[in-house]
Amino acid sequence: MTPDRKTPRPRAVNRLDDDHLCTALELAAVGVPVLPLRKGKGPFGNCRACAKNACGGRPNMKSAGLCQCPGVCHAWAAATTDLSVINSPLWAAAWRQAVCAGYHPGGAGLTVVDLDNATAVAWARETLPVTRTVVTTRGEHWLYQGVMPSHNAVRAGVDIKSSMSYARWLGPGTGIMAALPPAVLALVVREETTPARGEVVSSLPAGATWDRTVATGCRHTEQYIRTGLERGLALVRARAESGAASQAFGVARFLGAQHAQCPGPCGLDAIGWQIAAAAVSVGVPEGYARRAVANGLQTAERSAA
């Protein structure tokens, strides 16, 4: 659902004459998950039950899924379209303190390319397909239809906000929204540096290789898994000059998709480690290799959902 449909402004807002709350209710009514943002444009802190990782790690966003806390908790995961929650007494104090309304782009089926300065805007105009644009205080938000992994600083002044992220609501913007293009997807697996020959680029430790003991819930034969994995690793290693991280992303996405119907576990962590190690072996910095593989596996998981 795109955040540009017009809906009537609510007539009553629990006695809170607050523009941010009214905006949030309007957005939620057309399927855009929203949350209040405090001073500094950040989310409100977690509830007492979830403070200091007491709930098992959700404050670090290590687990997927929507927030189940009745109050405003777990940052982007608190974003909701439930009007009764947004307008509830537990959220009322947060709306009174809010400086703006935020939303979860991924939950609305969107990706926001956050361009933080004039240089980044100029780069986007030269590089990316034209799409709906929202003017910000320092630059622009470019909105695309589609969801992808979020990542900050994919290049100077450029952040990607989509899944597991939030953005400020600054209005519907102008222009026709385009589909999420490959050029934006590629930003999260770019190889920012090319190491000099012989330079140490990683301290990737030895990791467990895939075998049947880590895939007790996989429906495929061992030969099928090993054959696919070896072919994928060969593709990554063949990109010694350039493109190994992008190839690792593609291999991880393809192999991950093969297990969409398995009850699990399938040992995808071990498979992912081997793909990342193959990319590192041909000069990809470890951080980019790990990120490319993780994004590939996550993309496969979302596509199967």
Side-chain angles (χ1 to χ4, degrees):
M1 181 69 69
T2 58
D4 62 337
R5 288 177 50 188
K6 301 298 183 181
T7 56
R9 182 175 294 274
R11 296 181 180 178
V13 190
N14 274 3
R15 296 177 298 176
L16 292 176
D17 186 16
D18 187 287
D19 287 341
H20 303 317
L21 176 54
C22 289
T23 297
L25 290 169
E26 291 175 352
L27 291 171
V30 294
V32 180
V34 293
L35 73 160
L37 299 180
R38 58 178 170 76
K39 184 177 181 180
K41 301 173 292 187
F44 283 81
N46 289 326
C47 67
R48 292 183 179 180
C50 297
K52 298 182 180 180
N53 290 354
C55 66
R58 274 306 289 281
N60 295 331
M61 298 294 99
K62 292 181 179 179
S63 298
L66 299 178
C67 178
Q68 299 299 319
C69 296
V72 184
C73 192
H74 293 127
W76 68 268
T80 181
T81 58
D82 189 330
L83 300 181
S84 64
V85 171
I86 297 167
N87 210 22
S88 69
L90 285 172
W91 280 49
W95 285 118
R96 291 191 186 98
Q97 301 173 55
V99 298
C100 59
Y103 71 104
H104 175 209
L110 303 175
T111 290
V112 177
V113 180
D114 185 0
L115 307 167
D116 213 21
N117 52 51
T119 301
V121 171
W123 165 83
R125 290 174 180 171
E126 294 177 357
T127 308
L128 304 180
V130 175
T131 189
R132 181 171 302 167
T133 302
V134 180
V135 177
T136 69
T137 53
R138 294 184 296 181
E140 295 177 355
H141 284 175
W142 285 32
L143 277 61
Y144 290 98
Q145 189 74 47
V147 180
M148 65 178 289
S150 300
H151 205 284
N152 292 330
V154 293
R155 59 177 293 119
V158 181
D159 297 332
I160 303 295
K161 298 180 178 180
S162 187
S163 65
M164 302 180 76
S165 184
Y166 68 91
R168 285 183 296 159
W169 175 254
L170 296 169
T174 58
I176 299 173
M177 192 179 305
L180 183 61
V184 175
L185 289 166
L187 289 172
V188 300
V189 294
R190 287 189 64 214
E191 296 166 12
E192 300 284 352
T193 60
T194 301
R197 186 173 296 277
E199 181 181 348
V200 176
V201 297
S202 172
S203 58
L204 196 66
T209 57
W210 184 93
D211 60 40
R212 179 54 67 181
T213 64
V214 296
T216 56
C218 184
R219 64 188 178 91
H220 300 292
T221 66
E222 183 169 350
Q223 181 179 0
Y224 178 90
I225 300 300
R226 290 190 181 279
T227 299
L229 177 57
E230 287 303 321
R231 288 177 179 173
L233 297 179
L235 289 173
V236 175
R237 296 185 186 112
R239 304 300 295 268
E241 296 298 324
S242 65
S246 296
Q247 185 69 69
F249 169 85
V251 169
R253 180 177 59 183
F254 176 80
L255 294 180
Q258 308 312 302
H259 298 272
Q261 304 303 318
C262 294
C266 294
L268 291 181
D269 288 345
I271 287 175
W273 186 93
Q274 288 186 255
I275 299 170
V280 169
S281 73
V282 291
V284 178
E286 179 184 336
Y288 295 112
R290 288 184 178 276
R291 189 174 78 189
V293 171
N295 288 340
L297 292 174
Q298 290 171 9
T299 300
E301 183 179 355
R302 285 195 303 273
S303 297

